Amino acid sequence: MSKIKSPNAKPTKTSAKKTKADMAAHGVKVEKDKSKKKLYIGGAVTLFVLVFGFWVMQPSKASINFGICKTYIELNVPYPHTLRFMDLRDRKLFVRMTYSYIDAYGQTIFFPITCKFDRDENGSKFLDSVDVNRDKSHPLEDEDRIAEFNKSFGIGLFQKYEPILLRPPRMPKNIINYRK
């Protein structure tokens, strides 16, 4: 028995889907697959955002002048483990900052300090003078102490010891934040 097709019968579909190659063979314009292109662009943007975010999150570093001044203070202040540095202004030949430490009575003492640098005939830097508190004399301002510290450069103090050069935080504007 054979099937009889009526003129009003709907044609049956022989293939459910046509492939892109079949459609292209019949002259139909086929759009290229854009999902790979979008994937590459998305990956590149994500990589850029991650690298930029990593770069922004890196702590800023100060110059070696800050490290020299910081080391001088650490070597000459009692209880150096309680030292805190803040409010750094780092220029080419001077460093101005504020440091605090806790003394033997448990009081936190703040001192503004300016370390001035100079160059010798060979072009190497050395600590020229230190000004603490600007108006009163301080033991850190002693020229003999500074000269002894400068001698340590000759034996290569900073070739073996590398100071931590992370930029200290700014001084808080509100006095309540000093307690932290």
Side-chain angles (χ1 to χ4, degrees):
M1 210 170 175
S2 69
K3 285 188 170 179
I4 303 172
K5 291 185 179 180
S6 67
N8 294 338
K10 294 182 181 176
T12 59
K13 293 183 179 179
T14 55
S15 67
K17 282 189 170 181
K18 292 185 178 181
T19 63
K20 289 183 181 180
D22 292 339
M23 293 172 63
H26 291 295
V28 178
K29 287 189 176 180
V30 179
E31 291 185 22
K32 292 184 179 178
D33 192 17
K34 292 186 179 181
S35 63
K36 283 189 179 181
K37 187 175 180 181
K38 287 181 183 178
L39 184 67
Y40 289 135
I41 291 173
V45 168
T46 304
L47 181 66
F48 175 76
V49 167
L50 288 175
V51 169
F52 183 73
F54 179 74
W55 178 71
V56 167
M57 293 302 203
Q58 291 295 318
S60 62
K61 294 196 177 202
S63 70
I64 191 65
N65 293 346
F66 167 68
I68 293 170
C69 188
K70 178 181 169 184
T71 303
Y72 179 72
I73 295 168
E74 287 172 348
L75 291 174
N76 292 301
V77 169
Y79 310 109
H81 63 280
T82 63
L83 271 172
R84 282 186 52 201
F85 298 96
M86 53 204 115
D87 208 28
L88 173 68
R89 289 180 191 91
D90 193 357
R91 303 292 183 248
K92 287 187 179 181
L93 291 177
F94 76 91
V95 172
R96 186 173 291 141
M97 66 181 153
T98 304
Y99 73 93
S100 69
Y101 70 96
I102 299 173
D103 68 353
Y105 300 105
Q107 296 176 339
T108 302
I109 301 172
F110 289 88
F111 284 110
I113 186 168
T114 303
C115 296
K116 295 178 184 172
F117 296 90
D118 202 3
R119 294 192 179 271
D120 61 1
E121 304 86 36
N122 299 333
S124 58
K125 288 183 188 176
F126 66 93
L127 187 60
D128 185 37
S129 66
V130 175
D131 185 22
V132 181
N133 234 0
R134 295 188 183 138
D135 55 348
K136 299 177 186 174
S137 64
H138 193 275
L140 287 176
E141 297 174 354
D142 185 25
E143 290 181 11
D144 294 333
R145 198 176 268 190
I146 294 171
E148 288 296 319
F149 179 73
N150 284 331
K151 285 182 187 175
S152 64
F153 288 114
I155 60 172
L157 172 67
F158 289 103
Q159 291 174 354
K160 295 189 179 194
Y161 167 72
E162 293 183 15
I164 299 171
L165 299 176
L166 294 179
R167 187 172 284 277
R170 291 208 165 271
M171 227 169 195
K173 300 286 183 197
N174 193 350
I175 198 164
I176 293 172
N177 295 335
Y178 281 108
R179 297 181 77 187
K180 291 184 180 178

